[in-house]
Amino acid sequence: MEKVKFELSNEQIQFLKKHYPKNDLIQKILSTETEGRFEVDEEPYIDFMDYLDDESVAWMDKDYNATPKSIMIEKIRDDIYIQTN
């Protein structure tokens, strides 16, 4: 199985740790971290990116405007996407 490699900033890592301490998928991804670098199998990577898509919508306000949390999730997702495509 192919490995997917990407990097996140400390701020992005801390955000995920703070907001998703009990989420198995997020914790699985975070467990692969070495100095801000991640290397994960393709299937969990796809699940993770899909989850971030869903979460960015879930964090929007009632009028579907972006909130600081949804903006951060979208930034994480976009940063990873740019690095992996």
Side-chain angles (χ1 to χ4, degrees), residues 26-37:
I26 301 289
Q27 293 307 311
K28 182 176 185 173
I29 299 299
L30 290 175
S31 72
T32 70
E33 189 249 339
T34 303
E35 297 179 7
R37 292 185 201 99

Side-chain angles (χ1 to χ4, degrees), residues 1-55:
M1 182 174 283
E2 185 177 328
K3 294 281 189 177
V4 179
K5 298 176 185 180
F6 59 90
E7 293 182 22
L8 293 175
S9 70
N10 187 53
E11 178 185 20
Q12 293 169 326
I13 294 167
Q14 294 310 313
F15 175 88
L16 293 172
K17 286 180 179 179
K18 177 182 177 183
H19 292 285
Y20 300 97
K22 295 182 181 184
N23 181 289
D24 291 338
L25 177 59
I26 301 289
Q27 293 307 311
K28 182 176 185 173
I29 299 299
L30 290 175
S31 72
T32 70
E33 189 249 339
T34 303
E35 297 179 7
R37 292 185 201 99
F38 297 83
E39 186 173 331
V40 298
D41 289 332
E42 191 171 11
E43 187 175 322
Y45 164 77
I46 292 168
D47 292 343
F48 179 63
M49 294 298 280
D50 287 344
Y51 186 77
L52 292 179
D53 279 337
D54 293 343
E55 282 296 286

